Amino acid sequence: MSKTTTIEDVLVDIEHLDIEDQKYIVELISKRLIDKKRKEISLRAKEAEKNYKKGNFKKGRVEDLWEDLDG
């Protein structure tokens, strides 16, 4: 049977590391999150571009778009 690692387990393990290693982990996770967000934005932009090329978009004033979303 495999052991499931919880966030609390990970945090306890990290607390046992020296401060420099803890800083490195924070930096590493931060950079990975930024990269993941960047990839998600890129995918959304590509999807938006495809929709634009297909003509699947609406244009108008912000108020019109909000009204369309509410309706």
Side-chain angles (χ1 to χ4, degrees), residues 15-42:
E15 286 177 1
H16 290 107
L17 297 173
D18 64 53
I19 192 76
E20 290 304 316
D21 287 340
Q22 289 182 30
K23 287 179 184 178
Y24 176 70
I25 288 171
V26 169
E27 183 181 331
L28 186 64
I29 290 172
S30 177
K31 287 180 180 180
R32 287 185 179 194
L33 286 172
I34 290 168
D35 189 49
K36 186 174 184 173
K37 288 177 188 177
R38 190 176 288 132
K39 287 177 183 175
E40 289 174 354
I41 291 169
S42 175

Side-chain angles (χ1 to χ4, degrees), residues 37-53:
K37 288 177 188 177
R38 190 176 288 132
K39 287 177 183 175
E40 289 174 354
I41 291 169
S42 175
L43 289 174
R44 289 181 65 203
K46 288 175 185 175
E47 182 181 346
E49 187 175 20
K50 285 180 189 177
N51 285 325
Y52 179 78
K53 287 179 181 178

